Amino acid sequence: MSLKQNIPTVPLSRFIKHSLEILKNPLPFHHKNFEEQGDVFKLKIGFKNSVVFIRDAAFAEYVLQKNQKNYTKSKIQTEDLVKYVGKGLLTSEGEHWKKQRKLIQPAFHKKQLANLLESIKNAILLEYGKITSNEVIDIFPILNDLAFQTVVKSLFSSAANQEDINRLQYITEQAQKMLVKELRQPYLGWWFNLSGEIEKHIELTNEARQILKRIVNERRASNIKADDLLDMLLEARYDDGNAMEEEQLIDEILILFTAGHETTSNALTFTTQLLALHPEWQDKIYEERLALKSESDDLMDLVTKSKVCQQVLEEAMRLYPPAYFIDRVNKAPDTFNGMDFEAGSNLLFSVYEIHRHPKLWDQPNEFLPERFNEGGRKFSSQYFPFGAGPRKCIGNNFAMFEMIIAVSELVSNYKMHPEFNTIDITPLITLKPKNALLTFEKRH
């Protein structure tokens, strides 16, 4: 894919030379290239194929917002992911996406979310029952279960039994692992097909679809009004008055599972690690929580007024954005900042690098939640934890509400102490934590 030569190019030989370390963690390799080549460089990943890596926030804003009509998601999301989760909001494009977004958006309105806060809190407290005081534990599995249970309870209230929930969680996570293998080792594509690996995972996905169909049909037959997300999705109507067809409904539910639990569990884990390293911020959240509880018991009040907790979460997602890359492909040729891009160029925006860019942030690698004391909007042109523009994550309010409840409940019950030296990461489809070992001291 020939781009004009004013974009620095990293040769294929360097990509091959570092391929093993890229497989484990590509971020140091990309960081070195950004430091040497500048904020935009082209990486050759084959004799004909290349990817343009970008950490220019203005370029990201241009593609995601100002000229978003000329850009589409890459094949990774619109084809590779589709076989495991179907054509839902995350993976669809064009008119189909517009129609689905318009239909589903009201379910994620703040007023609607207020109905879900109690069941979100109950799901969180149930998972925190697994924490053992004064023992070293890896907090990620607990927070991963918490995030999944929260999505399930918000979607289905009590309609799904624990066996179904466990099976859905297993299948969702297996499909993600398989997709990572396919993306990181494209040269083994023939083997994944020949050995039946891909087919096995598609069969698992079909099993998940059958479980979800049964839950949906039981809800329809019961005539019970649960005021959960499933009710909202069943009652939603297109402009022509029709409801979503069953297959489309299942696609959307699978997307909510996939997108709604992994990113949240990652963000929560990194937040607890950062809080363990910075106990003064635990104290600030604790004091804020006590003050708010003395004013009101209303959960929506607590969530919207927990400003310190929100600052901590926003700073954690700046340092460790769960969706750490955003990919786009341009439909027509385009020019930005004197650089020309022919149609079909693969663009990869490093949210991780943009969030740590020394020209955009004071002390970019330091944990300083106070930088968000005026809220995230101040940094809207350089801060993309939920993406930006029309394709911004539809569940961003849901995720923030859930995380504020989760963090404030945790801090009000425990003091956290680190049992690790550095925060380690595993960059897969999302940025995952590694060895998040903590001890929890019960507050009295």
Side-chain angles (χ1 to χ4, degrees), residues 23 80-81 83-85 140-141 144-145 166 168-186 188 192 197-198 200-202 204-205 258 261-262 266 426-430 432-433:
L23 190 61
D80 299 336
L81 187 56
K83 63 180 181 280
Y84 299 122
V85 295
F140 177 70
N144 194 43
D145 287 352
N166 293 345
L168 288 167
Q169 185 170 355
Y170 171 79
I171 293 169
T172 305
E173 287 167 3
Q174 288 305 308
Q176 289 240 1
K177 282 177 188 166
M178 187 61 222
L179 183 58
V180 169
K181 272 194 200 174
E182 289 179 69
L183 298 179
R184 290 279 171 89
Q185 297 170 295
L188 291 179
F192 295 144
E197 274 279 283
I198 289 176
K200 182 179 90 178
H201 284 83
I202 288 172
L204 276 177
T205 298
T258 305
H261 101 272
E262 177 151 344
N266 296 352
T426 306
L428 297 175
I429 292 174
T430 58
K432 288 179 88 78

Side-chain angles (χ1 to χ4, degrees), residues 25 58 63 157 207 288 293 315 334 339 367:
N25 179 0
V63 166
S157 302
E207 184 193 336
E288 175 181 67
K293 285 289 272 184
E315 178 70 342
D334 207 352
M339 295 175 285
F367 177 68

Side-chain angles (χ1 to χ4, degrees), residues 120-134:
I120 288 173
K121 182 183 169 182
N122 291 338
I124 287 166
L125 291 176
L126 206 62
E127 292 305 314
Y128 284 166
K130 295 177 184 174
I131 292 174
T132 314
S133 301
N134 307 318

Side-chain angles (χ1 to χ4, degrees), residues 193-396:
N193 276 307
L194 193 67
S195 65
E197 274 279 283
I198 289 176
E199 195 180 333
K200 182 179 90 178
H201 284 83
I202 288 172
E203 279 172 20
L204 276 177
T205 298
N206 287 332
E207 184 193 336
R209 296 182 78 88
Q210 291 311 312
I211 293 171
L212 292 172
K213 280 179 189 176
R214 193 187 74 240
I215 293 169
V216 168
N217 289 328
E218 282 169 3
R219 170 65 61 83
R220 280 195 176 117
S222 74
N223 291 320
I224 291 169
K225 187 98 170 63
D227 274 335
D228 52 17
L229 287 175
L230 179 57
D231 271 356
M232 291 178 218
L233 294 175
L234 287 170
E235 287 165 14
R237 294 292 180 268
Y238 295 111
D239 291 342
D240 61 7
N242 287 324
M244 247 188 289
E245 288 183 5
E246 187 177 63
E247 292 299 328
Q248 186 64 54
L249 177 65
I250 301 303
D251 285 353
E252 297 300 353
I253 291 172
L254 274 174
I255 291 286
L256 289 173
F257 278 149
T258 305
H261 101 272
E262 177 151 344
T263 47
T264 304
S265 59
N266 296 352
L268 280 173
T269 304
F270 288 126
T271 303
T272 57
Q273 286 185 278
L274 288 161
L275 283 170
L277 293 172
H278 300 273
E280 71 280 13
W281 283 96
Q282 293 185 51
D283 296 340
K284 288 176 186 178
I285 292 172
Y286 183 65
E287 284 153 20
E288 175 181 67
R289 165 83 180 207
L290 286 181
L292 290 171
K293 285 289 272 184
S294 68
E295 287 171 26
S296 165
D297 260 347
D298 182 68
L299 255 181
M300 187 49 110
D301 245 19
L302 178 76
V303 162
T304 50
K305 291 178 181 173
S306 294
K307 297 303 176 196
V308 175
C309 191
Q310 187 167 330
Q311 282 170 240
V312 165
L313 283 159
E314 284 175 332
E315 178 70 342
M317 288 190 291
R318 182 189 69 82
L319 286 167
Y320 300 100
Y324 64 112
F325 273 109
I326 296 173
D327 59 345
R328 289 293 184 269
V329 177
N330 54 322
K331 300 177 200 170
D334 207 352
T335 301
F336 182 82
N337 216 8
M339 295 175 285
D340 293 340
F341 300 91
E342 68 172 23
S345 299
N346 287 306
L347 308 183
L348 209 51
F349 294 90
S350 175
V351 178
Y352 185 87
E353 288 281 341
I354 291 170
H355 282 187
R356 291 170 178 251
H357 201 303
K359 288 181 182 166
L360 297 173
W361 307 90
D362 294 328
Q363 296 175 267
N365 296 313
E366 298 303 313
F367 177 68
L368 302 170
E370 62 267 29
R371 72 174 95 234
F372 286 100
N373 61 6
E374 293 169 42
R377 281 189 186 156
K378 178 183 171 188
F379 301 110
S380 60
S381 59
Q382 64 199 59
Y383 181 61
F384 310 113
F386 296 106
R391 299 294 307 235
K392 186 174 180 177
C393 171
I394 197 171
N396 66 317

Side-chain angles (χ1 to χ4, degrees), residues 396-410:
N396 66 317
N397 284 326
F398 179 94
M400 281 308 294
F401 290 176
E402 175 191 347
M403 291 192 292
I404 286 170
I405 294 171
V407 172
S408 57
E409 285 293 341
L410 192 59

